[in-house]
Amino acid sequence: MTASVFGFGMMLAAAPAGAVDGAGETAFPPFDPTYFATQIFWLLLSFALLYFLLSRIFLPRIGETIEERSSRIADDLDTASRMQADAEQAERNYEKALSDARAKAHNVAEATRQSVDAEIQAELDAADKEAEKQADAAESRIREVRSKAMSNIESVAAEAAQATVEALTGKKPTLASVKSALN
């Protein structure tokens, strides 16, 4: 393969006369001092164009994007702060509602307990009155039975005395004489 196949032949043919060193090779063109002036010109032109593009087009767009993101983050943080405050308020409202519900449940339980106690007391009072009525009825029956028994006791005592006198004396006294003797 020859040098012309790879394109080196053209470089060697176009190389300046002083570029060939003692070994028959040319210097690498960017390191060749004869090209420094054009390289510096193109470097400055490229730098100026890149600077212009960055300062006038790309950096303002990047700055706008950064500013937009910053404002979006600030808005999101404000929204998050408001939502956190709302959540804390909702938690306080929930705790208050829970406390109120507990107090109301306690009051309802207390009222129910008092109502049940009052019902029990009313039933006990009614049972006591019923027992008292029954006791009064029993006492009146006992009095009736006693008065009946007492009224019959005189006649029974008179008959017993009559039977005793008859058994002892052999004579049967009259019931009226025995009663007058007992009184």
Side-chain angles (χ1 to χ4, degrees), residues 14-49:
V20 179
D21 60 9
E25 298 179 11
T26 61
F28 184 59
F31 297 139
D32 190 0
T34 57
Y35 297 115
F36 281 170
T38 57
Q39 289 176 356
I40 290 175
F41 171 76
W42 286 111
L43 174 70
L44 291 176
L45 184 65
S46 299
F47 181 76
L49 182 63

Side-chain angles (χ1 to χ4, degrees), residues 54-106:
L54 285 174
S55 66
R56 302 288 181 191
I57 297 172
F58 297 118
L59 290 179
R61 288 183 184 173
I62 291 172
E64 289 173 7
T65 303
I66 290 173
E67 184 64 31
E68 183 180 320
R69 284 186 180 178
S70 296
S71 66
R72 187 180 310 151
I73 289 171
D75 290 345
D76 289 347
L77 288 175
D78 289 343
T79 303
S81 296
R82 271 187 269 114
M83 291 176 106
Q84 183 178 9
D86 291 345
E88 289 172 355
Q89 182 63 35
E91 182 181 9
R92 286 191 294 272
N93 291 343
Y94 169 75
E95 291 295 330
K96 183 174 179 352
L98 186 61
S99 173
D100 291 346
R102 283 183 181 153
K104 185 176 179 181
H106 179 71

